[in-house]
Amino acid sequence: MNGPDRQDPFEEPNRPESGEGAQGRGEQKDARRPPRIPLPRTSIEDTGNPLPDPPLALDHRVLKSLLGAWALAACSVDEAIAVEEHLGHCGPCAEEALRLRDAVGLLHQEESLDLDPGLRNRVIASCLGRRPPRIPVPEWAMPYDAETARLDALLRDIGTSEWHAPVQLRWFDEDHPVSRETTVAGVIAHLLAVDGLVALALGLDDPLGREGTPPSDPSRRTEAYWSASYFPPTRGVRGPWREQSHELIRTVSFTAGGAYGPGSGRLAVPYSAPDDEGRRVELPLRDSMLDRAFECWIHAGDIADAVDYPYAPPSPRHLHRMIDLAARLLPGTLAARRRSGLADPSHGLVAAGAPGRSLRLEIEGMGGGEWFIPLDSPGAEASADREVAHVALDGVEFCRLAAGHVSPQEAAAGQDGDRRAIKDVLSAAASLSRM
């Protein structure tokens, strides 16, 4: 043991020295002394510090059972040391540990249980690729099929109380914004009532019942359905709406592929009662199904905003069809507004098929494209040669304008050319909206 009186073997014995001679001898002694070698390190047992715990002594069976926890980093420090020492000399366990570590890398953090809105379309596309349906859904009915399925997925996810969340229905009446407050259930009742116009045209049951002559105006149909209920609509309205949408898809599929043939898409669907001159608003079935898909998407967005639910626009292919329908309706709507004094007079009569002044409508982004809108007559031929104005809009923004969710003044549009023509066309787009 080292003590305070231990003498360094490489140091001369202590001799009392004094005076200058002693100092001189000390300097010579230090100059010729070899370097001092440190003493051996003291063992930990001599320091009084606690000794480290010995490594765990675990048999092969226990170590193998810990491989899963080790791969997940769920072992204690001692267990992890024991497992890693074991892996150094046990080949089968080392291979199993590598497989477990790879499997852990495939695990993801907990994600939302909400299904991807595009999952249904991908699954259906895969199934149809393996076995085409005997009676396929017509191309012009696919947007309605997709949008009703997306809305149904949203409704399946919301809670009972959210069916009573307030929703603002917004549209334009002539040039004035109008709104009506209802609930999520009230919106579905509205879709059910207006989809009934297509059901009636196809010979199906009317959700308003058989009593009296059902109104043809979408707003009147909605008010009639709401007032006929003893209580405000609840989540129970989802069942009838869902069944009707499925029945519409089945019927148009059989109609297009059955006795009526491909021309069945031209079947007229009325959207208003006849006026004093016997005219009424009506759309061919193929356009009516697009119109119903458009309204389903717009009102699904209203519901999603009310319940704080993420909701994406339609697929670009379907969105392009909806924009195309709105662009094709603009010339007739513009002419009707001109007859009512809501738009500037035309610059002269233009015969059907003759070239006339045109506005170029450029839609950017998803579902985009380019359309030429005749300004002086619905039947005039619109072309770039007679272009007097140019409007550029994002696709979703244009749809929001056509739905009455933004005013013509608020629409973020790039404009060039005749300002009056631009104002008339954007106002006509807003007047396409209704409840």
Side-chain angles (χ1 to χ4, degrees):
M1 300 291 291
N2 293 333
D5 297 331
R6 181 182 175 107
Q7 183 69 38
D8 190 331
F10 294 94
E11 186 177 352
E12 294 183 5
N14 294 331
R15 297 178 181 175
E17 298 289 349
S18 61
E20 296 179 358
Q23 181 177 2
R25 287 196 302 272
E27 292 176 356
Q28 294 177 0
K29 177 186 69 172
D30 292 341
R32 65 175 180 269
R33 179 190 298 174
R36 184 176 184 274
I37 299 175
L39 297 176
R41 296 182 62 183
T42 305
S43 174
I44 191 170
E45 289 89 346
D46 298 336
T47 63
N49 296 327
L51 298 177
D53 295 332
L56 292 178
L58 304 175
D59 60 21
H60 178 271
R61 180 178 58 82
V62 175
L63 291 170
K64 185 176 181 180
S65 68
L66 290 173
L67 291 179
W70 174 83
L72 292 169
C75 288
S76 67
V77 175
D78 294 335
E79 289 173 339
I81 294 173
V83 169
E84 290 167 3
E85 289 182 354
H86 177 68
L87 297 180
H89 55 77
C90 181
C93 285
E95 294 178 0
E96 179 67 16
L98 287 175
R99 285 194 295 269
L100 291 173
R101 270 289 167 89
D102 292 339
V104 169
L106 299 176
L107 298 177
H108 299 283
Q109 294 182 351
E110 183 178 351
E111 297 178 354
S112 172
L113 296 179
D114 295 339
L115 293 178
D116 179 4
L119 177 61
R120 181 178 186 273
N121 288 341
R122 292 198 299 271
V123 172
I124 291 177
S126 176
C127 294
L128 296 184
R130 295 171 180 266
R131 178 188 289 182
R134 184 173 301 176
I135 302 178
V137 176
E139 184 73 20
W140 42 267
M142 287 183 177
Y144 178 80
D145 187 27
E147 292 310 310
T148 52
R150 291 207 305 147
L151 174 54
D152 190 48
L154 185 158
L155 298 177
R156 185 179 61 245
D157 283 352
I158 67 176
T160 302
S161 62
E162 291 176 311
W163 280 86
H164 304 288
V167 180
Q168 286 284 341
L169 298 181
R170 293 172 290 164
W171 69 97
F172 271 77
D173 183 8
E174 295 183 347
D175 285 336
H176 306 292
V178 182
S179 65
R180 173 70 186 275
E181 184 170 308
T182 183
T183 62
V184 171
V187 174
I188 302 304
H190 164 62
L191 292 175
L192 172 67
V194 183
D195 284 356
L197 291 172
V198 182
L200 282 172
L202 292 171
L204 303 176
D205 291 337
D206 187 356
L208 269 63
R210 300 177 181 272
E211 298 181 4
T213 302
S216 299
D217 179 77
S219 299
R220 291 180 57 203
R221 286 183 63 85
T222 300
E223 296 289 352
Y225 188 90
W226 284 346
S227 61
S229 303
Y230 290 104
F231 302 99
T234 64
R235 67 180 306 160
V237 75
R238 178 192 171 203
W241 169 80
R242 189 166 180 257
E243 180 57 35
Q244 179 178 258
S245 65
H246 290 177
E247 187 65 24
L248 289 177
I249 293 296
R250 286 193 295 266
T251 304
V252 298
S253 299
F254 277 99
T255 300
Y260 291 94
S264 62
R266 292 192 291 269
L267 179 69
V269 179
Y271 276 80
S272 69
D275 59 15
D276 295 338
E277 299 179 5
R279 293 177 302 194
R280 65 179 182 181
V281 178
E282 53 183 33
L283 292 174
L285 178 61
R286 61 174 61 241
D287 287 345
S288 183
M289 294 298 287
L290 271 177
D291 171 77
R292 303 314 306 142
F294 175 81
E295 187 166 357
C296 183
W297 162 48
I298 291 297
H299 287 322
D302 294 335
I303 293 172
D305 291 341
V307 299
D308 196 20
Y309 190 99
Y311 208 77
S315 67
R317 181 164 54 101
H318 294 168
L319 186 61
H320 178 82
R321 286 177 170 269
M322 298 176 191
I323 295 172
D324 178 70
L325 172 62
R328 288 188 283 111
L329 293 176
L330 280 178
T333 304
L334 182 58
R337 288 175 55 83
R338 187 173 288 130
R339 288 193 298 268
S340 302
L342 298 174
D344 287 344
S346 64
H347 288 209
L349 296 177
V350 179
R357 293 187 313 138
S358 307
L359 177 141
R360 178 155 56 105
L361 177 63
E362 182 182 355
I363 303 299
E364 303 170 341
M366 293 176 49
E370 193 173 76
W371 289 262
F372 287 93
I373 311 299
L375 296 174
D376 295 321
S377 173
E381 180 184 352
S383 66
D385 296 335
R386 301 296 301 274
E387 177 185 326
V388 298
H390 177 201
V391 173
L393 272 170
D394 174 73
V396 174
E397 187 72 6
F398 175 75
C399 290
R400 285 171 50 81
L401 174 65
H405 281 43
V406 296
S407 68
Q409 295 78 21
E410 294 172 334
Q415 306 176 6
D416 183 41
D418 190 331
R419 295 296 176 181
R420 286 184 171 274
I422 293 172
K423 175 181 177 296
D424 286 343
V425 170
L426 292 180
S427 297
S431 65
L432 291 172
S433 62
R434 60 174 181 270
M435 179 192 282

